[in-house]
Every structure is written in structure tokens, then in C-alpha cells.
């Protein structure tokens, strides 16, 4: 259910309806949001959303999800919550951790490909960067056969500026922790140009001591993200609708 605190954050971000529009009065935005959350948590087909819940039809909720994603509602919600966390010292900028996780894409669509860990079945991959506490900062969805190293700079540059404190908004961690899948000397140089210390294991060499103890938070964040069953398996052909669910889930985790 959408509690009052969550609704107070989201309601000002929603695009307004025209004062005079033909046809029946649209279903209330708060009810549609509850329907979207029901699908996100339970991973049911839109057409199977029970009408007796009072959230409107699955088609209505799907259209509202599309409308809100086009308006940037979920990305703005995530940014607002990051700013609130930063304002109370809830973000750990001393380090950031990144990793990737494969999911199956049942219906194909944009940014899908043969999964190297699932017998080449069609899938996608979530590339995640989080702060030292495990707060999700940025998630990028790609085809399943895209290497983690290719998304390193995109993840770092995609971190939204977190306001909430005096001075310029913060968007750069002090260091970036990664496993051997992110090993690349050119990327290390680019990170240093951004004044970020790369702490990334090298292929063919022993793992950096205690790196796993610091990087466990990214696995924890993936576990939280994929507890939303709609994100554990990708059903949306359109990438922007899948990313709408991802951004909403990141906001809820924050």
C-alpha cells in the first residue's frame, strides 16, 4: 500500500490532468500507484490485476506507468530521496561498489541478448553502483552478454548529483571497488582523471585483501532489488518501462 509519507513525496512530481477532458473521470493517481506497486511486488501479468482491489484495470495502471516514466517521475523521486539521505549523512561517499547481475528476459525486447550464465537463453543484465552502505546510486540495464567493464564509466558518470548539504551537490565517491570483471587499465586512468581511486582486482592476480568484505554491500543491494519479483525476471519488451520499475524500486530501497 502507498502510505502517506510516500504519497507526499510522489504526488507533487506527478503530471497534472487537464481540467476538462472528454470521457469518464480517470482513476485516482494514488490508486494506480498502488496497482503498479502490486505488480512490482508480485510479478503478475497486467491483465491479471484483480479489479476487486480497486486499483483500476491492469491496462489503466500500465498506461499510468508509461505516462509517469515519460514525465521522469521515478528518476526524480530517486534523486529527491538521495538528497534527503545525503542531508542527514546517510550516504557513504568514502567508497562506491559496482557489479552486474543477470536476469532472464521472457519476451525479448530492447537490450536483451544470449546469457552466458543461462545456456544462452535471452536475458538482460543489471549493472549497479551503490555507496558504501549499499544505497543504490545508479542502475543500467543492458543485454546479458555485455561485459561489466564496459559500463564502469557510464555508472560513475550516471550518479545523480545529491544535494541536501551546503555547497555543490556531491556525485563522486572517493574510491570505486570492483571485481576482476571490471579490470581495465584505460578505465583506471579515466577514474583517476575524475579524482576517484580505483580499487579493482586484476585478472591473473590474487584478489585484493579484504576487498570482498567491503564489496558485500553491492550483493546485498542486488538481493533487495530482486526481492521485487518484477525485476528478478524481465517481462517488459520496452526497456523504458522496465527501467521505470527499476527506478521505483531504487526509490523504495532509499
Amino acid at each position: 500500500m502507498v502510505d502517506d509519507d510516500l504519497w507526499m513525496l510522489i504526488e507533487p512530481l506527478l503530471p497534472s490532468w487537464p481540467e476538462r477532458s472528454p470521457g469518464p473521470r480517470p482513476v485516482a493517481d494514488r490508486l494506480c500507484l498502488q496497482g503498479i506497486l502490486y505488480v512490482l511486488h508480485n510479478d503478475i501479468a497486467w491483465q491479471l490485476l484483480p479489479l476487486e482491489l480497486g486499483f483500476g484495470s491492469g491496462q489503466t495502471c500500465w498506461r499510468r506507468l508509461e505516462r509517469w516514466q515519460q514525465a521522469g517521475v521515478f528518476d526524480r523521486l530517486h534523486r529527491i530521496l538521495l538528497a534527503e539521505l545525503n542531508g542527514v549523512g546517510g550516504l557513504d561517499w568514502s567508497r562506491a561498489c559496482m557489479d552486474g547481475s543477470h536476469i532472464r528476459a521472457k519476451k525479448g525486447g530492447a537490450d536483451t541478448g544470449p546469457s552466458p550464465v543461462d545456456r544462452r537463453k535471452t536475458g538482460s543484465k543489471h549493472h549497479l553502483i551503490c555507496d558504501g552502505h549499499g544505497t543504490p546510486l545508479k542502475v543500467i540495464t543492458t543485454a546479458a552478454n555485455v561485459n561489466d567493464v564496459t559500463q564502469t564509466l557510464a555508472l560513475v558518470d550516471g550518479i545523480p548529483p545529491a544535494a541536501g548539504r551546503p555547497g555543490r551537490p556531491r556525485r563522486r565517491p572517493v574510491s570505486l571497488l570492483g571485481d576482476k570483471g571490471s579490470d581495465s587499465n584505460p578505465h583506471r586512468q579515466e577514474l583517476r582523471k575524475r579524482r576517484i581511486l580505483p580499487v579493482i582486482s586484476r585478472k591473473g592476480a590474487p584478489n585484493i585483501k579484504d576487498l570482498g568484505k567491503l564489496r558485500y554491500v553491492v550483493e546485498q543491494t542486488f538481493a533487495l532489488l530482486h526481492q521485487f519479483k518484477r525485476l528478478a525476471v524481465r517481462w517488459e519488451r520496452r526497456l523504458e518501462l522496465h527501467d521505470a520499475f527499476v527506478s521505483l524500486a531504487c526509490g523504495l530501497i532509499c
Side-chain angles (χ1 to χ4, degrees):
M1 302 297 287
V2 180
D3 59 32
D4 292 338
D5 291 337
L6 178 61
W7 182 242
M8 285 175 62
L9 285 171
I10 294 180
E11 186 181 19
L13 306 178
L14 301 180
S16 59
W17 291 96
E19 293 185 4
R20 294 183 179 181
S21 58
R25 189 179 184 85
V27 179
D29 285 336
R30 186 166 181 170
L31 293 177
C32 284
L33 180 59
Q34 291 183 167
I36 291 169
L37 288 177
Y38 190 90
V39 172
L40 176 63
H41 278 278
N42 296 288
D43 188 24
I44 64 170
W46 289 104
Q47 62 268 25
L48 298 181
L49 182 66
L51 289 175
E52 55 268 24
L53 292 176
F55 303 154
S57 69
Q59 184 70 10
T60 297
C61 293
W62 181 89
R63 288 174 178 167
R64 208 65 60 92
L65 176 73
E66 180 184 39
R67 184 171 189 261
W68 293 343
Q69 174 65 3
Q70 291 174 352
V73 169
F74 304 114
D75 288 337
R76 290 161 61 196
L77 173 66
H78 185 203
R79 184 172 299 191
I80 288 171
L81 290 167
L82 287 177
E84 289 197 7
L85 283 172
N86 193 47
V88 296
L91 295 180
D92 180 7
W93 292 104
S94 66
R95 63 181 182 269
C97 306
M98 63 179 180
D99 207 346
S101 178
H102 293 85
I103 59 171
R104 187 173 294 183
K106 290 288 189 177
K107 294 185 177 181
D111 286 289
T112 62
S115 175
V117 299
D118 194 14
R119 295 173 293 177
R120 297 187 63 79
K121 291 184 178 179
T122 303
S124 291
K125 194 173 188 179
H126 289 147
H127 303 267
L128 167 70
I129 186 169
C130 64
D131 77 330
H133 295 318
T135 306
L137 302 175
K138 178 68 176 178
V139 180
I140 297 175
T141 305
T142 66
N145 55 345
V146 172
N147 292 328
D148 289 346
V149 67
T150 63
Q151 302 302 310
T152 299
L153 300 180
L155 285 172
V156 170
D157 294 339
I159 297 175
R165 291 194 165 192
R168 297 177 62 183
R170 183 77 182 262
R171 62 181 305 173
R172 292 283 185 266
V174 175
S175 61
L176 178 64
L177 281 56
D179 60 12
K180 295 180 180 180
S182 302
D183 180 25
S184 168
N185 286 329
H187 285 84
R188 286 187 177 90
Q189 295 174 4
E190 289 296 327
L191 289 171
R192 291 190 179 99
K193 289 180 182 178
R194 291 164 171 78
R195 293 181 293 179
I196 299 173
L197 175 65
V199 185
I200 301 172
S201 298
R202 294 184 180 274
K203 296 178 181 177
N207 289 326
I208 299 175
K209 185 179 179 181
D210 295 333
L211 182 61
K213 295 180 181 179
L214 298 174
R215 287 189 66 254
Y216 81 95
V217 292
V218 71
E219 305 296 341
Q220 172 185 283
T221 307
F222 270 127
L224 292 174
L225 197 66
H226 292 160
Q227 278 186 350
F228 298 98
K229 296 180 181 178
R230 193 72 176 191
L231 301 181
V233 177
R234 176 180 166 183
W235 291 98
E236 282 71 33
R237 291 178 180 271
R238 293 169 55 184
L239 179 63
E240 65 271 19
L241 295 182
H242 178 75
D243 284 344
F245 278 128
V246 172
S247 295
L248 178 58
C250 287
L252 295 174
I253 293 171
C254 288

